[in-house]
Amino acid sequence: MVAQLPYVTLQKVFARFAEAEPEPKGELEHLNAFTLLVAVALSAQATDVGVNKATRALFQIADTPEKMLALGEEALIDHIKTIGLFRNKAKNVIKLSRLLIDNFGGEVPSSRAALTSLPGVGRKTANVVLSMWFHHPAQAVDTHIFRVGNRTGICPGRDEITVERAIEDNVPVEYQRHAHHWLILHGRYICTARSPKCGICPIADWCLYPEKTA
């Protein structure tokens, strides 16, 4: 594991990210907090592109918990059957829709504990919703962020929780809100797993990765 980049270097790194993309956006399409929650839950072990293709028509007819329950599990499966683990995900979406109605007045709650009480909603999913919809500086660590954090020294850690904590503890507070999106987009398009594009990397000057590509 590489060392943790010092605070002054992290300031430069995130200033560079902010300069390149002042308002980074998530790539999952959604209409409201509920459709965002469903989209993120569906995205586990699936691509954002694949989820978007499956949910465009779905969200036109089921954009609230009530409408999702009315649609029903079998009809939901027809919409999302191109996504991995679609049967289990459909069960969870129907269950979480019922719980949102019964326990939260049909609204998506804005606390991590409440969100993770819903079927199919883990810490990462909850953090994405808290970040994207409620603008809370929650850090949803996926495989991209885990790789970037450990490869560059931005937020090294042995597991997702320690990487999440490294972001919260070390990244300057003014960059916390967008840190998740900057890191995931950097990992998705530049600091890729097999062939990182170090030659066009905006933070290559400070990255600690010892095997930089030409």
Side-chain angles (χ1 to χ4, degrees), residues 111-184:
S111 85
R112 185 183 291 114
L115 285 167
T116 55
S117 73
L118 300 170
V121 180
R123 186 180 182 89
K124 182 172 71 176
T125 296
N127 282 351
V128 173
V129 174
L130 291 173
S131 173
M132 289 183 63
W133 190 259
F134 295 106
H135 307 305
H136 181 78
Q139 309 302 332
V141 178
D142 68 352
T143 55
H144 295 298
I145 296 177
F146 187 81
R147 180 179 65 255
V148 171
N150 279 289
R151 181 182 277 174
T152 63
I154 291 174
C155 47
R158 65 186 180 277
D159 53 38
E160 293 181 353
I161 295 298
T162 53
V163 170
E164 178 184 326
R165 182 62 58 83
I167 299 172
E168 294 174 348
D169 288 350
N170 296 291
V171 174
V173 68
E174 62 267 30
Y175 300 118
Q176 289 274 340
R177 178 183 163 193
H178 292 313
H180 157 72
H181 281 128
W182 281 321
L183 291 171
I184 195 172

Side-chain angles (χ1 to χ4, degrees), residues 34 38 58 62 64-72 76 93-94 97:
F34 174 70
V38 171
L58 171 65
T64 67
E66 294 82 3
K67 292 178 183 178
M68 191 66 74
L69 284 180
L71 179 65
L76 173 57
V93 169
I94 294 300
S97 296

Side-chain angles (χ1 to χ4, degrees), residues 13-153:
V13 166
F14 281 92
R16 186 69 58 81
F17 282 146
E19 180 182 9
E21 187 65 63
E23 292 289 332
K25 304 294 183 183
E27 296 183 321
L28 283 173
E29 297 174 6
H30 58 282
L31 305 174
N32 52 32
F34 174 70
T35 54
L36 174 61
L37 175 63
V38 171
V40 180
L42 293 177
S43 71
Q45 300 182 48
T47 66
D48 288 0
V49 172
V51 172
N52 289 338
K53 287 181 179 178
T55 57
R56 284 180 189 131
L58 171 65
F59 291 160
Q60 292 301 313
I61 60 173
D63 62 349
T64 67
E66 294 82 3
K67 292 178 183 178
M68 191 66 74
L69 284 180
L71 179 65
E73 186 175 323
E74 290 305 315
L76 173 57
I77 286 174
D78 285 340
H79 281 277
I80 67 170
K81 59 187 176 183
T82 57
I83 300 174
L85 307 174
F86 63 89
R87 292 191 182 279
N88 190 56
K89 289 177 179 178
K91 291 182 185 296
N92 284 335
V93 169
I94 294 300
K95 289 178 181 177
L96 73 82
S97 296
R98 169 54 64 191
L99 288 176
L100 286 175
I101 294 169
D102 291 347
N103 297 345
F104 302 103
E107 300 294 326
V108 174
S110 59
S111 85
R112 185 183 291 114
L115 285 167
T116 55
S117 73
L118 300 170
V121 180
R123 186 180 182 89
K124 182 172 71 176
T125 296
N127 282 351
V128 173
V129 174
L130 291 173
S131 173
M132 289 183 63
W133 190 259
F134 295 106
H135 307 305
H136 181 78
Q139 309 302 332
V141 178
D142 68 352
T143 55
H144 295 298
I145 296 177
F146 187 81
R147 180 179 65 255
V148 171
N150 279 289
R151 181 182 277 174
T152 63

